[in-house]
Amino acid sequence: MASKKEGGGSKLARSQVVTIRLDPKLRYAAELAARKQRRTVSSFIEWCIEESLERVWLDENNNVTYAISLVWDVDEPDRFAKTAFHFPDLLTHGEQVLWKLVCENGSLWKGHYSNERTWTWSIDEKSLMFKKLREHFETFQKVAKRELDMDELPKWIESNEPDDIPF
Protein backbone atom coordinates (compact mmCIF):
# COMPACT_ATOMS: atom_id res chain seq x y z
CA MET A 1 0.00 0.00 0.00
CA ALA A 2 1.48 3.32 -1.04
CA SER A 3 1.77 5.94 1.68
CA LYS A 4 0.18 9.31 1.20
CA LYS A 5 2.72 12.02 0.39
CA GLU A 6 2.98 14.64 3.11
CA GLY A 7 2.81 18.23 1.89
CA GLY A 8 3.37 19.36 -1.65
CA GLY A 9 5.24 21.83 -3.74
CA SER A 10 8.97 22.36 -3.46
CA LYS A 11 11.33 19.83 -1.90
CA LEU A 12 13.01 22.63 0.05
CA ALA A 13 12.12 22.74 3.73
CA ARG A 14 10.03 25.76 4.58
CA SER A 15 10.51 27.13 8.05
CA GLN A 16 8.40 30.28 8.11
CA VAL A 17 4.75 30.83 7.29
CA VAL A 18 3.51 34.34 6.52
CA THR A 19 -0.18 35.10 6.21
CA ILE A 20 -0.98 37.96 3.84
CA ARG A 21 -4.16 39.59 2.59
CA LEU A 22 -4.50 40.21 -1.12
CA ASP A 23 -7.12 42.07 -3.06
CA PRO A 24 -9.12 39.42 -5.02
CA LYS A 25 -7.99 40.87 -8.35
CA LEU A 26 -4.32 40.83 -7.28
CA ARG A 27 -4.70 37.28 -5.95
CA TYR A 28 -6.10 36.11 -9.29
CA ALA A 29 -3.32 37.92 -11.17
CA ALA A 30 -0.78 36.13 -8.97
CA GLU A 31 -2.49 32.82 -9.72
CA LEU A 32 -2.29 33.45 -13.47
CA ALA A 33 1.37 34.46 -13.26
CA ALA A 34 2.13 31.41 -11.12
CA ARG A 35 0.42 29.14 -13.64
CA LYS A 36 2.46 30.66 -16.45
CA GLN A 37 5.68 29.95 -14.55
CA ARG A 38 4.42 26.53 -13.44
CA ARG A 39 4.73 27.48 -9.78
CA THR A 40 2.47 27.48 -6.79
CA VAL A 41 1.13 30.88 -5.78
CA SER A 42 3.27 30.66 -2.66
CA SER A 43 6.39 29.96 -4.72
CA PHE A 44 5.50 32.80 -7.09
CA ILE A 45 5.12 35.28 -4.21
CA GLU A 46 8.43 34.16 -2.74
CA TRP A 47 10.09 34.66 -6.14
CA CYS A 48 8.52 38.15 -6.44
CA ILE A 49 9.87 39.15 -3.05
CA GLU A 50 13.36 37.92 -3.92
CA GLU A 51 13.27 39.86 -7.18
CA SER A 52 12.12 43.08 -5.48
CA LEU A 53 14.86 43.09 -2.82
CA GLU A 54 17.38 44.42 -5.34
CA ARG A 55 15.24 47.54 -5.70
CA VAL A 56 14.79 48.36 -2.01
CA TRP A 57 17.63 50.50 -0.65
CA LEU A 58 18.24 50.65 3.10
CA ASP A 59 20.66 53.54 2.69
CA GLU A 60 22.59 55.18 -0.14
CA ASN A 61 24.99 52.21 -0.45
CA ASN A 62 23.04 49.09 0.50
CA ASN A 63 20.07 47.41 -1.06
CA VAL A 64 18.38 44.65 0.91
CA THR A 65 20.11 41.89 -1.07
CA TYR A 66 23.56 43.20 -0.10
CA ALA A 67 22.52 44.18 3.41
CA ILE A 68 21.37 40.67 4.22
CA SER A 69 24.92 39.46 3.52
CA LEU A 70 26.10 41.82 6.28
CA VAL A 71 23.52 41.03 8.94
CA TRP A 72 22.04 37.57 8.39
CA ASP A 73 22.89 34.97 10.98
CA VAL A 74 21.03 31.87 12.07
CA ASP A 75 21.25 33.07 15.69
CA GLU A 76 18.77 35.82 16.53
CA PRO A 77 21.10 37.64 18.97
CA ASP A 78 23.87 37.83 16.36
CA ARG A 79 21.42 38.99 13.68
CA PHE A 80 20.03 41.63 16.05
CA ALA A 81 23.48 42.98 16.95
CA LYS A 82 24.69 43.03 13.33
CA THR A 83 21.55 44.92 12.31
CA ALA A 84 22.15 47.40 15.13
CA PHE A 85 25.75 47.94 14.02
CA HIS A 86 25.04 48.32 10.30
CA PHE A 87 21.50 49.75 10.19
CA PRO A 88 20.64 51.30 13.57
CA ASP A 89 17.94 53.49 12.05
CA LEU A 90 15.96 50.34 11.14
CA LEU A 91 15.60 49.22 14.77
CA THR A 92 12.11 49.39 16.26
CA HIS A 93 11.65 51.28 19.52
CA GLY A 94 11.74 48.01 21.48
CA GLU A 95 14.94 46.98 19.70
CA GLN A 96 16.48 50.39 20.46
CA VAL A 97 15.76 49.87 24.16
CA LEU A 98 17.31 46.40 23.96
CA TRP A 99 20.37 47.69 22.08
CA LYS A 100 20.91 50.44 24.66
CA LEU A 101 20.96 47.80 27.41
CA VAL A 102 23.49 45.76 25.43
CA CYS A 103 25.70 48.78 24.75
CA GLU A 104 25.71 49.84 28.40
CA ASN A 105 26.60 46.41 29.76
CA GLY A 106 30.38 46.03 30.08
CA SER A 107 30.21 42.26 30.53
CA LEU A 108 29.48 41.79 26.81
CA TRP A 109 32.37 43.84 25.44
CA LYS A 110 36.10 43.40 25.11
CA GLY A 111 37.80 46.36 26.72
CA HIS A 112 40.36 47.46 29.24
CA TYR A 113 40.72 49.30 32.52
CA SER A 114 41.42 52.96 31.91
CA ASN A 115 43.82 55.19 33.84
CA GLU A 116 40.86 56.02 36.09
CA ARG A 117 40.63 52.26 36.82
CA THR A 118 37.19 51.89 35.24
CA TRP A 119 36.25 49.28 32.67
CA THR A 120 36.15 50.94 29.24
CA TRP A 121 34.98 49.49 25.94
CA SER A 122 34.11 50.69 22.49
CA ILE A 123 30.87 49.86 20.73
CA ASP A 124 31.98 48.09 17.59
CA GLU A 125 31.36 44.69 16.04
CA LYS A 126 34.87 43.41 16.81
CA SER A 127 34.49 44.23 20.52
CA LEU A 128 31.16 42.50 21.11
CA MET A 129 31.44 39.03 22.60
CA PHE A 130 28.70 37.36 20.56
CA LYS A 131 28.85 34.11 22.54
CA LYS A 132 28.12 35.94 25.77
CA LEU A 133 25.31 37.92 24.10
CA ARG A 134 23.72 34.63 22.98
CA GLU A 135 24.01 33.25 26.53
CA HIS A 136 22.19 36.23 28.06
CA PHE A 137 19.98 37.44 25.20
CA GLU A 138 16.72 36.23 26.69
CA THR A 139 17.48 38.04 29.95
CA PHE A 140 18.27 41.26 28.05
CA GLN A 141 14.99 40.93 26.14
CA LYS A 142 13.00 40.46 29.34
CA VAL A 143 14.66 43.44 30.99
CA ALA A 144 13.97 45.56 27.90
CA LYS A 145 10.28 44.56 28.12
CA ARG A 146 10.34 45.27 31.89
CA GLU A 147 9.54 41.64 32.68
CA LEU A 148 12.73 41.42 34.78
CA ASP A 149 14.64 43.97 36.85
CA MET A 150 17.95 45.46 35.69
CA ASP A 151 19.79 43.59 38.45
CA GLU A 152 19.13 40.35 36.50
CA LEU A 153 21.57 41.47 33.78
CA PRO A 154 25.10 40.05 33.82
CA LYS A 155 27.57 41.94 36.01
CA TRP A 156 31.15 43.03 35.46
CA ILE A 157 33.77 44.67 37.63
CA GLU A 158 33.28 48.33 36.78
CA SER A 159 36.39 49.53 38.56
CA ASN A 160 39.46 47.99 40.13
CA GLU A 161 41.79 48.87 42.91
CA PRO A 162 45.38 49.63 41.75
CA ASP A 163 46.66 46.23 42.95
CA ASP A 164 43.99 44.35 40.97
CA ILE A 165 44.68 45.91 37.58
CA PRO A 166 46.66 43.47 35.44
CA PHE A 167 49.05 46.01 33.85
Side-chain angles (χ1 to χ4, degrees):
M1 180 174 181
S3 64
K4 184 178 178 185
K5 183 179 177 184
E6 293 286 327
S10 172
K11 292 181 182 178
L12 296 175
R14 301 292 181 210
S15 59
Q16 297 290 316
V17 175
V18 177
T19 303
I20 61 170
R21 296 181 189 272
L22 295 176
D23 174 90
K25 186 176 178 182
L26 182 59
R27 163 68 191 213
Y28 189 65
E31 281 182 32
L32 292 177
R35 289 179 195 175
K36 179 66 179 172
Q37 292 188 355
R38 298 190 182 274
R39 300 174 181 261
T40 63
V41 172
S42 178
S43 173
F44 177 75
I45 291 171
E46 184 176 31
W47 174 80
C48 288
I49 292 170
E50 286 178 17
E51 289 294 309
S52 70
L53 297 178
E54 288 285 331
R55 296 187 301 268
V56 177
W57 291 84
L58 300 181
D59 59 29
E60 60 277 351
N61 299 316
N62 299 293
N63 66 17
V64 175
T65 301
Y66 178 71
I68 204 73
S69 71
L70 297 175
V71 301
W72 173 253
D73 195 283
V74 295
D75 290 315
E76 179 189 359
D78 294 35
R79 199 168 51 239
F80 163 73
K82 290 176 183 184
T83 301
F85 284 123
H86 294 279
F87 304 104
D89 57 319
L90 297 181
L91 297 179
T92 65
H93 175 73
E95 290 170 333
Q96 290 174 18
V97 171
L98 177 57
W99 184 238
K100 183 174 182 177
L101 289 173
V102 168
C103 290
E104 292 176 349
N105 190 288
S107 73
L108 299 177
W109 302 91
K110 296 173 190 168
H112 63 278
Y113 286 101
S114 68
N115 291 339
E116 293 81 34
R117 299 184 182 93
T118 58
W119 184 246
T120 306
W121 63 92
S122 59
I123 308 299
D124 62 62
E125 201 166 347
K126 292 177 182 170
S127 296
L128 180 60
M129 292 185 282
F130 283 92
K131 183 178 179 186
K132 198 154 187 190
L133 176 63
R134 286 190 294 275
E135 290 172 11
H136 299 284
F137 194 63
E138 188 175 331
T139 302
F140 276 92
Q141 288 178 308
K142 288 180 179 180
V143 171
K145 293 176 187 173
R146 297 183 180 190
E147 295 172 2
L148 289 177
D149 292 330
M150 294 277 288
D151 60 355
E152 298 294 324
L153 293 174
K155 308 285 188 272
W156 73 98
I157 299 172
E158 294 185 43
S159 62
N160 261 341
E161 295 301 316
D163 296 338
D164 295 338
I165 298 176
F167 57 82

